[in-house]
Amino acid sequence: MLSDAIGKANILNNQYCSVFTKEVLTDIPSKGPSQAPTMPSIKVTVKGVKKLLQQLKPLKASGPDKISTRVLQELAEPLSKPLAEFFQCSINTGIVPVQWKKAIVSPIFKKGDKHQAANYRPVSLTAVCCKLCEHIIAKSIMEHFEGNGLLCDNQHGFRKMRSCESQLIQFVDDLARTMCSGKQVDVAVMDFSKAFDVVPHQRLLSKLNFYGIRGRALEWIEAFLTDRIQQVVVNGEFSDIAPVTSGVPQGSVLGPILFLSFINDMPECVTSKCRLFADDSIIYREVSATSDCTRLQDDLDALERWEKAWGMSFNPTKCNIIHISRKKDPVLNTYHIKSTDLEAVDTATYLGVDVAKNLTWHKQTSKVVAKGNRSLGFIKRNIRTTSRKIKELSYKTLVRPTLEYAASVWSPHQKELKYVLEMVQRRAARYVLHRHQRLDSVDDMLRRLKWDTLEQRRLKARAVMGYRIVHGLVMIPADQLIPTTVNTRGHAMKFHLYQQKGTIT
């Protein structure tokens, strides 16, 4: 075990480099003739660059080129024209400055053993000017994708009018509809190994070309991905420089969109329903007989062929199967991928929400309450100020969002679950007002703080989401979730809610 920062940085850098893939260029799959139109040439405007400069956060760290973000923001007016000309020249020639290809990698701990280098996610810090240019290119690519309907409709990651919540609402609604009709759904929760780091560059470029990213734009992206280098920083100390031979930079502006284009065709190889949020993927199928299980297994085999062809890799030990059903005798089948049987679980986690096999929310509520209490305990131990304003802000920033994440999907109706959720906020109210006597009324405290109950906030959040769905502000089909019923006055809509034994979508 090393204690010096340079040694740690080199260990982490070696770990990140070990997952890079060496691409075989002779067997790149062909997607056949493309029907996508070529993306229009990218035009950089002085006005657009000025707006990007003004929107920079002055305290944001500078990249490897050491150009201060504050300087760029404060000099937005005089810098906008020369930078616009520089960006346009870079895009037109397909030449990317060397400094833009260097990344300072900050290791971010995920979970597990803190002494294992594999448990740290690499987040790249790149040149701010490069990010501005990436933003212009990324915006043009996304407009091209969205305008021509090229992205998979069930991909909700890194896209406007889509989010984790919108994906979960539609997913759970699918499950609830099937289960409430007395049927069963088998769900395979898939997990990629180091998805963003192993993307083979030439295969990515071939897909971009297929989707209409051609000419100068494609040349620029190829230059952006080629000959990249990185250093890991730990406690201000740097590792040795290492080449980056695959993947899209995590922490860059362009990286997420490049990944979306790479994974976009994955649902095309299966007949079951597939949902994606960046690399978080699930496939599921209604199961009435063993033949349906066979079809789902065929889809898993097809995904295995897809990952092999395109240089990706599923981690079968982290993939699992859940049988969504309230049948006394559900159809049970053992599924496998890469000759490894997938674990059958009673509760599967997707996008941070625990989905139980009977679609009740006891475990999800318990997890949320435990996390909320841990965060509140952390605040109590570390924020000892007497300032009510600071303590209240700490609760609203660090605790309450945990209790309300995607609550429109899993909001419980059982009294005991509502109670344990409310208790976290009631403890927070005592902390904020520093009133811990048993006879002190927490209801009075909540009124003094002007805090709505968490249940009231969840109801408001559901109403807001309903409004957004009805008015097309979120990419969820309104006719799917909110059937229209005409009353005597000629209007009024009602929500389609499943409330059977705690299921609400």
Side-chain angles (χ1 to χ4, degrees):
M1 184 182 298
L2 294 176
S3 58
D4 66 294
I6 295 179
K8 292 178 182 178
N10 280 314
I11 288 176
L12 287 163
N13 205 19
N14 292 335
Q15 167 63 33
Y16 299 148
C17 292
S18 69
V19 304
F20 293 150
T21 55
K22 188 174 182 180
E23 187 173 14
V24 180
L25 301 180
T26 57
D27 61 351
I28 297 178
S30 172
K31 291 183 61 61
S34 172
Q35 302 299 319
T38 299
M39 184 181 74
S41 299
I42 299 173
K43 301 297 182 183
V44 183
T45 65
V46 175
K47 182 179 179 181
V49 172
K50 181 180 177 180
K51 183 178 179 181
L52 290 174
L53 289 169
Q54 291 173 335
Q55 291 175 343
L56 287 173
K57 297 179 181 179
L59 298 181
K60 187 178 179 67
S62 58
D65 57 2
K66 303 299 182 183
I67 297 178
S68 168
T69 308
R70 180 180 291 277
V71 170
L72 291 172
Q73 185 202 43
E74 293 185 355
L75 298 179
E77 181 70 39
L79 287 178
S80 54
K81 184 176 180 180
L83 276 179
E85 294 175 352
F86 182 78
F87 293 161
Q88 189 70 70
C89 180
S90 176
I91 294 170
N92 290 344
T93 59
I95 298 175
V96 177
V98 174
Q99 280 293 331
W100 287 10
K101 298 185 183 185
K102 182 177 181 180
I104 304 299
V105 177
S106 296
I108 305 298
F109 178 67
K110 297 184 290 185
K111 60 181 179 179
D113 186 357
K114 289 189 176 182
H115 298 95
Q116 295 295 322
N119 292 332
Y120 289 81
R121 177 183 290 108
V123 176
S124 300
L125 180 64
T126 56
V128 178
C129 289
C130 180
K131 288 187 176 182
L132 297 178
C133 191
E134 286 180 68
H135 189 282
I136 295 168
I137 296 171
K139 182 180 179 182
S140 297
I141 293 176
M142 189 56 75
E143 287 177 352
H144 171 71
F145 283 165
E146 298 287 5
N148 293 284
L150 297 175
L151 292 179
C152 169
D153 192 52
N154 286 339
Q155 170 65 267
H156 283 237
F158 308 118
R159 299 178 67 183
K160 289 182 179 179
M161 300 172 66
R162 290 173 167 88
S163 64
C164 291
E165 189 173 17
S166 65
Q167 182 73 291
L168 286 164
I169 287 174
Q170 292 185 276
F171 172 52
V172 175
D173 182 72
D174 285 346
L175 301 182
R177 286 175 183 271
T178 304
M179 191 180 66
C180 289
S181 63
K183 299 176 182 179
Q184 172 184 335
V185 183
D186 281 3
V187 182
V189 182
M190 310 301 291
D191 184 89
F192 282 106
S193 297
K194 308 296 181 183
F196 280 74
D197 298 321
V198 302
V199 173
H201 290 164
Q202 292 305 314
R203 281 166 167 75
L204 168 61
L205 293 170
S206 72
K207 287 193 176 183
L208 288 171
N209 182 73
F210 179 81
Y211 293 125
I213 312 302
R214 306 179 182 114
R216 297 299 187 187
L218 188 63
E219 291 176 10
W220 193 95
I221 293 172
E222 183 174 14
F224 174 74
L225 295 173
T226 304
D227 298 327
R228 296 190 68 84
I229 58 175
Q230 69 178 29
Q231 283 182 290
V232 175
V233 59
V234 175
N235 297 333
E237 301 291 345
F238 291 86
S239 70
D240 298 331
I241 294 175
V244 178
T245 57
S246 70
V248 293
Q250 297 188 58
S252 67
V253 176
L254 198 54
I257 296 174
L258 296 180
F259 186 81
L260 290 190
S261 64
F262 185 77
I263 203 174
N264 188 57
D265 63 344
M266 191 181 89
E268 297 173 7
C269 67
V270 299
T271 59
S272 301
K273 197 156 190 176
C274 182
R275 291 194 175 276
L276 300 170
F277 192 93
D279 63 322
D280 290 315
S281 56
I282 52 173
I283 63 170
Y284 54 100
R285 191 180 196 94
E286 184 179 307
V287 172
S288 301
T290 54
S291 59
D292 298 313
C293 300
T294 302
R295 293 189 184 94
L296 182 55
Q297 180 59 58
D298 290 341
D299 287 338
L300 291 173
D301 295 339
L303 289 179
E304 189 175 342
R305 292 191 293 272
W306 179 89
E307 61 151 13
K308 184 176 181 181
W310 292 104
M312 299 293 283
S313 179
F314 288 111
N315 185 350
T317 61
K318 293 185 178 181
C319 301
N320 51 57
I321 289 285
I322 182 170
H323 307 285
I324 305 293
S325 176
R326 287 189 179 140
K327 291 181 177 180
K328 292 183 178 179
D329 298 309
V331 180
L332 300 180
N333 183 71
T334 300
Y335 300 93
H336 62 268
I337 191 168
K338 293 184 177 180
S339 302
T340 300
D341 289 345
L342 301 186
E343 180 186 5
V345 296
D346 293 335
T347 303
T349 302
Y350 180 58
L351 300 181
V353 172
D354 286 351
V355 180
K357 65 179 182 180
N358 59 357
L359 284 191
T360 56
W361 303 110
H362 293 78
K363 186 169 182 180
Q364 168 66 15
T365 303
S366 298
K367 180 180 78 171
V368 165
V369 168
K371 189 174 181 180
N373 280 326
R374 286 196 300 271
S375 298
L376 182 58
F378 174 84
I379 292 173
K380 289 180 177 179
R381 292 191 300 273
N382 293 278
I383 301 179
R384 299 181 179 275
T385 178
T386 58
S387 170
R388 166 182 156 178
K389 183 177 180 180
I390 292 176
K391 291 193 287 186
E392 185 173 3
L393 180 62
S394 300
Y395 164 70
K396 291 182 177 180
T397 303
L398 300 176
V399 181
R400 196 165 68 183
T402 299
L403 304 174
E404 297 181 335
Y405 167 72
S408 61
V409 179
W410 58 268
S411 179
H413 75 282
Q414 297 95 329
K415 288 183 179 180
E416 64 272 18
L417 299 185
K418 292 180 183 180
Y419 174 77
V420 294
L421 284 166
E422 295 294 346
M423 284 303 297
V424 181
Q425 176 158 279
R426 294 172 77 86
R427 294 187 191 100
R430 287 185 176 276
Y431 161 70
V432 170
L433 295 177
H434 196 64
R435 293 174 59 185
H436 301 284
Q437 297 297 322
R438 289 185 60 187
L439 297 180
D440 290 338
S441 172
V442 180
D443 291 333
D444 290 341
M445 297 181 202
L446 294 174
R447 282 191 290 270
R448 180 179 171 186
L449 290 167
K450 297 181 181 179
W451 289 358
D452 288 335
T453 66
L454 295 177
E455 182 180 11
Q456 290 171 331
R457 289 180 58 82
R458 291 195 297 272
L459 289 172
K460 290 179 181 179
R462 289 166 66 87
V464 169
M465 177 57 72
Y467 178 91
R468 294 175 66 198
I469 293 171
V470 170
H471 291 83
L473 301 177
V474 63
M475 200 57 68
I476 298 177
D479 57 352
Q480 176 184 336
L481 297 182
I482 310 176
T484 305
T485 58
V486 182
N487 63 14
T488 55
R489 296 184 181 178
H491 44 249
M493 285 199 165
K494 68 176 184 180
F495 290 111
H496 190 105
L497 301 179
Y498 287 98
Q499 297 181 330
Q500 181 184 0
K501 296 184 180 178
T503 301
I504 303 180
T505 64

